[in-house]
Structure formats: structure tokens, C-alpha cells
């Protein structure tokens, strides 16, 4: 239960950082074009995480094997077979998603855009349920219905009936990120910082090239620094936390907890641009809050069987990791190595993490 609570807090922290980035992006769009903001966000994300990885490596404790110094085991490297999943995630979530969001923010109020980001959780869950067969129950489905209803009410309100073009761009960005989330699930057992860093370093230059092709120029020092710092926190650190939650909660549940991101974005946007929201805004907020609450209170427990499994990931010796080592181990945890899971049948509270992707 403690590990599951930690995973939920991790997902909520990721949501808070990402949600806060949306109104800050809106503020930067007053002086920078959309693709420039997206490119700098991801460049700040990838560059900042690359520096963090270097520092982590320098500070990593060293052990010894036969008297020779070596770095203590940390994370398994990405395998070649996983490259297509990561490439697809980068294309959908790192290139198409942020570009659509920035285009939508040009004509959509920050608070409205922040609430529309709830659709990412909905699309993420739908893809996980339909394409990857993650389990769900009536309570989870009802929560998603409440989020959809809130988004529809928000999008169809205002002086002009219908779905505004800017809102469509934001919803399109959510769909791209949902595809990204489900593809990232396939590589989530690997180092979260490496995954997020590669996404940033790949997506940043692509968006910047698009900005320059459209006639943009490098911003001044303060705006450049502001965009990269926001990108590092809102896209980089947030994504690292999201991947960690993804491996422990599964795709749909992580997307559900991540749905609280708009609440943080709305709160910050109302601080930056004080105004009295319309009644429809509060009604949409209430529906979305209901949907998130239904997800948070979900409990899933039943007798299940773990089939034999061989894989490599960072782990501790818990109920699911009772294996022996074929190398000298100094007792350090967590650690990373290839290991084998024996068949096991038991019952406990769980989510569809890397060890619980069984059928029901």
C-alpha cells in the first residue's frame, strides 16, 4: 500500500508541474511564436535532464569487483527492440502534441486550455482499455464520463456556440499525448530520466526548425531562459515523474491521476490573469473534479496469478522479487539486473504495473 501511495503522489506531482506550465506558456506566447515556445520547452527539458544525468553519474557510489572499481548498478539500457515504441512516443508527444497545444493557446484562454487538458487522461484510458486491454470497472468509466461532460460543457460555452478552433487544437494535442503515454508504457521499465531526456533532445530541435522555417528568430536572453526553465520543470521533471508512475500504476490509472493537471493550471492562470469565471466554467470544473475523485477512490484487489517472467528493471526485494543473485551483491537497493519471476498466486491491492498486466 505504501508503494502504491508513493506512485499516486508521484503522478500528482507530475500533474502539478505540467499543469502549471500551460498558463506560463500562454504568457510566453505574447512575445514568442508557438513553435518557438514548444521547441524551447523541450530543449530545456532535454538539456536540463542531460545535465542532471551527468551529475547523477558523477555522484553514483562505486563498488568493486575483484579489486577493480566500477559504478554501482543503476538502470538497464534501452534495448533495440524498444526503439520503435520510443520513436513513436517522441513523434506523437514530443513533436505533434506541443505544436498543437501552442497553436491552440494562441486563441484559447489559459484557464479554458488548462481544463481541456483533462481530455489527455480520457484518451489515454480509452487507448489503454481498447488497444492494450487494461482492466477497468464502472466507477472508472463513470469518472471518465464526468470528465468528458465537463470538457464538452467548457468547449461549447461562450459567445459563439460550437467548438472553437483553438479548443480543437488543444484537444488534438491531448490525443497526441495519449498515444505518447501508451507507447511510453512499453518502455517504462527503463530509466525514466533517459526516456524523458531523449524525448526532449529529439522534439526540441524539430519544433525549433519549424519555428525558424516559419520566420521566427531567437528570443532575447530573459525570454530564452524563462522558456527553457519552464520546459525543464513542466515537461522534463514532470515527464520523469510520469514515467515512474506509469510503470507502477499502469497507463489508464496514471492518466486518470494526471487529469488533475488542469486544476493546477487553472489556479495559476487565475492568479496571472485575475477575472471572474463564467458559471459554465465552474460547472465544468465540478464535473471534472468529480471524475478525478472517482478515479482516486478506486480500489482493485483480487486473487491473481503471476506467470513466469524474465525481464530487467530497477527493483527492491519485495513480495514480487524473491530471487537469488548469480553475482556478488552488497545488499544495495534498489538495484538493476536481469531476473526471473517464478509463478505466484496471491491476492492484494494492485494496479496494472509492470508485474500486474494480467487478464481478468
Amino acid at each position: 500500500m505504501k508503494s502504491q501511495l508513493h506512485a499516486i503522489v508521484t503522478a500528482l506531482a507530475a500533474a502539478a508541474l505540467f499543469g502549471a506550465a500551460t498558463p506560463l506558456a500562454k504568457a510566453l506566447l505574447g512575445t514568442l511564436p508557438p513553435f518557438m515556445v514548444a521547441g524551447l520547452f523541450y530543449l530545456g527539458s532535454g538539456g536540463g535532464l542531460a545535465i542532471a544525468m551527468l551529475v547523477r553519474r558523477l555522484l553514483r557510489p562505486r563498488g568493486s569487483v575483484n579489486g577493480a572499481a566500477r559504478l554501482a548498478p543503476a538502470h538497464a539500457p534501452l534495448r533495440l527492440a524498444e526503439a520503435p515504441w520510443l520513436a513513436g512516443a517522441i513523434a506523437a508527444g514530443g513533436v505533434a502534441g506541443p505544436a498543437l497545444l501552442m497553436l491552440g493557446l494562441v486563441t484559447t484562454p489559459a484557464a479554458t486550455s488548462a481544463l481541456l487538458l483533462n481530455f489527455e487522461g480520457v484518451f489515454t484510458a480509452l487507448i489503454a482499455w481498447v488497444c492494450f486491454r487494461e482492466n477497468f470497472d464502472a466507477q472508472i468509466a463513470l469518472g471518465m464520463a464526468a470528465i468528458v461532460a465537463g470538457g464538452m460543457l467548457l468547449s461549447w460555452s461562450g459567445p459563439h456556440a460550437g467548438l472553437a478552433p483553438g479548443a480543437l487544437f488543444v484537444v488534438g494535442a491531448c490525443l497526441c499525448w495519449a498515444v505518447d503515454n501508451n507507447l511510453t508504457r512499453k518502455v517504462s521499465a527503463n530509466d525514466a530520466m533517459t526516456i524523458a531526456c531523449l524525448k526532449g533532445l529529439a522534439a526540441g530541435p524539430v519544433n525549433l526548425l519549424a519555428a525558424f522555417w516559419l520566420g521566427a528568430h531567437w528570443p532575447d536572453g530573459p525570454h530564452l531562459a524563462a522558456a527553457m526553465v519552464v520546459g525543464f520543470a513542466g515537461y522534463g521533471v514532470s515527464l520523469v515523474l510520469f514515467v515512474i508512475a506509469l510503470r507502477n500504476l499502469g497507463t489508464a490509472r496514471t492518466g486518470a491521476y494526471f487529469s488533475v493537471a488542469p486544476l493546477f493550471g487553472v489556479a495559476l492562470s487565475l492568479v496571472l490573469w485575475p477575472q471572474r469565471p463564467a458559471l459554465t466554467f465552474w460547472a465544468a470544473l465540478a464535473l471534472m473534479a468529480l471524475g478525478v475523485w472517482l478515479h482516486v477512490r478506486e480500489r482493485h484487489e483480487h486473487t491473481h496469478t503471476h506467470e513466469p517472467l524474465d525481464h530487467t528493471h530497477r527493483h527492491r526485494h519485495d513480495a514480487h522479487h524473491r530471487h537469488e543473485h548469480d553475482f556478488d551483491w552488497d545488499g544495495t537497493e534498489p538495484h538493476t539486473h536481469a531476473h526471473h519471476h517464478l509463478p505466484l498466486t496471491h491476492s492484494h491491492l494492485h494496479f496494472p504495473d509492470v508485474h500486474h498486466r494480467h487478464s481478468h
Side-chain angles (χ1 to χ4, degrees):
M1 184 64 185
K2 182 179 179 181
S3 61
Q4 292 169 351
L5 179 61
H6 181 268
I8 291 172
V9 171
T10 300
L12 293 175
L17 289 171
F18 182 72
T22 301
L24 294 176
K26 178 72 174 180
L28 287 169
L29 285 171
T31 54
L32 301 178
F35 282 98
M36 178 62 70
V37 174
L40 291 177
F41 272 16
Y42 272 102
L43 194 63
S45 167
L49 290 175
I51 295 173
M53 290 171 62
L54 176 60
V55 173
R56 181 183 66 179
R57 182 175 178 83
L58 294 174
L59 296 178
R60 187 182 306 163
R62 291 178 178 270
S64 63
V65 177
N66 297 326
R70 66 171 178 83
L71 288 175
H75 300 278
L78 284 165
R79 294 180 291 110
L80 184 61
E82 297 171 322
W85 299 110
L86 183 57
I90 291 172
V95 178
L100 289 171
L101 175 64
M102 298 308 159
L103 291 172
L105 286 175
V106 172
T107 57
T108 308
T112 300
S113 299
L115 278 178
L116 286 172
L117 291 179
N118 267 297
F119 278 104
E120 179 183 348
V122 176
F123 292 146
T124 295
L126 289 176
I127 294 173
W129 295 340
V130 175
C131 299
F132 294 96
R133 303 301 182 184
E134 278 196 14
N135 69 288
F136 68 100
D137 56 22
Q139 177 176 298
I140 293 297
L142 182 60
M144 283 301 178
I147 293 173
V148 171
M152 293 298 293
L153 176 62
L154 189 69
S155 300
W156 284 82
S157 62
H160 303 287
L163 197 61
L168 283 175
F169 281 127
V170 177
V171 172
C174 292
L175 179 59
C176 290
W177 279 319
V179 173
D180 172 13
N181 295 339
N182 279 275
L183 296 181
T184 300
R185 169 188 182 270
K186 304 293 289 186
V187 298
S188 61
N190 294 281
D191 179 25
M193 196 175 292
T194 299
I195 294 172
C197 179
L198 290 175
K199 282 188 177 184
L201 293 180
V206 172
N207 282 283
L208 287 176
L209 286 174
F212 292 135
W213 183 72
L214 293 172
H217 302 282
W218 278 109
D220 56 34
H223 286 97
L224 176 66
M228 294 187 73
V229 168
V230 173
F232 172 67
Y235 280 39
V237 178
S238 175
L239 181 55
V240 171
L241 297 174
F242 184 87
V243 173
I244 293 173
L246 195 64
R247 75 168 70 116
N248 293 310
L249 296 174
T251 313
R253 271 90 176 157
T254 302
Y257 289 113
F258 200 71
S259 294
V260 305
L263 302 182
F264 294 99
V266 169
L268 184 56
S269 66
L270 293 178
V271 171
L272 295 176
W273 298 280
Q275 57 180 308
R276 177 176 295 178
L279 291 178
T280 51
F281 174 91
W282 294 112
L285 178 60
L287 283 168
M288 291 180 174
L290 172 62
V292 170
W293 177 75
L294 287 171
H295 284 120
V296 170
R297 68 188 297 272
E298 184 225 0
R299 295 292 182 270
H300 183 73
E301 180 174 0
H302 63 91
T303 300
H304 56 277
T305 299
H306 296 268
E307 300 296 335
L309 174 66
D310 291 278
H311 62 175
T312 303
H313 67 95
R314 192 171 176 84
H315 64 277
R316 297 179 182 273
H317 282 200
D318 53 21
H320 297 94
H321 296 89
R322 294 174 176 172
H323 50 261
E324 299 294 331
H325 296 86
D326 56 3
F327 58 88
D328 291 333
W329 177 49
D330 60 5
T332 300
E333 290 187 327
H335 59 269
T336 302
H337 62 89
H339 55 278
H340 176 72
H341 289 270
L342 294 172
L344 173 66
T345 299
H346 60 178
S347 177
H348 63 94
L349 187 67
H350 65 279
F351 296 105
D353 56 22
V354 293
H355 298 106
H356 297 90
R357 291 176 180 171
H358 49 260
S359 59
H360 290 75

